[in-house]
Amino acid sequence: MDTEEFWHLMEQARGRAADTTDAEDIARRASALLTAREPQQILDAQRILWDLMAASYKAPLWAAAHVINGGCSDDGFEYFRGWLITQGRTTFEQVVDDADRLADLPAVHAAASVGLDLEGEQTLSIAWDAYEAATGSQLPGGSFSINYPQLDPAWGFDFEDHGRIAARLPRVAALFTD
């Protein structure tokens, strides 16, 4: 499995979901689709998933997740990025490139209007679950390591500082004003 195949799998899962905003359902469907693959392909999917998690480990995105979800711990940021992966490749790449583009997403508008958290914890275990279902064994230990890059030190400020967030993510911040 390569990155193209991974994203195709995610699009198939999205296409089968009754609600494309339901990250948990998309993740379950992706895992079920992945279960039909060879064990090595499942391991490849795990590597690709962690590569995407590392690529999206960016301070602007963390700040946006903090605003959208009303706070964002380390785990919360992982779950937010899991949700982002379920939104598909185009959305993922656009938002990783410019976190303020989250303001274009209907799910973010819904989160702003009704106070929903955008999380996709189940996304983080799609390969784990698929491998276990396909082989009866857990993923081999070395198949799920991740190396995060350093965060941009220019974003090293309190994400509760709405003024600084608004200056850097004006469109997202505007959706979540008090």
Side-chain angles (χ1 to χ4, degrees):
M1 174 170 290
D2 62 15
T3 303
E4 291 293 326
E5 288 178 278
F6 179 87
W7 283 117
H8 180 70
L9 179 106
M10 293 306 295
E11 284 305 317
Q12 284 182 300
R14 282 179 57 76
R16 294 178 181 186
D19 177 1
T20 58
T21 64
D22 185 348
E24 300 302 314
D25 184 34
I26 294 167
R28 280 190 299 276
R29 291 173 186 277
S31 185
L33 289 166
L34 197 53
T35 299
R37 303 287 184 113
E38 294 295 321
Q40 183 58 52
Q41 290 182 315
I42 300 170
L43 292 172
D44 293 343
Q46 179 65 30
R47 179 193 44 79
I48 293 163
L49 178 64
W50 284 147
D51 288 348
L52 295 173
M53 292 295 286
S56 61
Y57 187 77
K58 294 187 173 191
L61 188 57
W62 199 335
H66 182 87
V67 170
I68 292 166
N69 286 348
C72 193
S73 66
D74 293 350
D75 288 347
F77 187 42
E78 286 193 357
Y79 305 157
F80 181 83
R81 289 178 292 143
W83 167 83
L84 185 58
I85 290 168
T86 68
Q87 301 309 294
R89 183 179 197 166
T90 300
T91 298
F92 178 85
E93 290 175 350
Q94 289 173 346
V95 168
V96 167
D97 186 51
D98 177 7
D100 210 30
R101 291 193 70 174
L102 283 159
D104 297 333
L105 304 179
V108 174
H109 285 264
S113 66
V114 296
L116 296 175
D117 285 349
L118 300 179
E119 298 180 334
E121 180 179 4
Q122 188 68 31
T123 306
L124 306 180
S125 63
I126 61 172
W128 184 277
D129 294 343
Y131 194 86
E132 190 168 348
T135 68
S137 302
Q138 293 185 351
L139 278 172
S143 62
F144 51 89
S145 62
I146 186 168
N147 294 315
Y148 285 124
Q150 293 292 320
L151 289 172
D152 181 353
W155 286 80
F157 58 84
D158 183 1
F159 289 163
E160 297 292 334
D161 185 341
H162 189 75
R164 289 184 84 174
I165 295 293
R168 294 179 182 227
L169 300 168
R171 296 173 57 226
V172 168
L175 292 174
F176 294 88
T177 57
D178 292 331

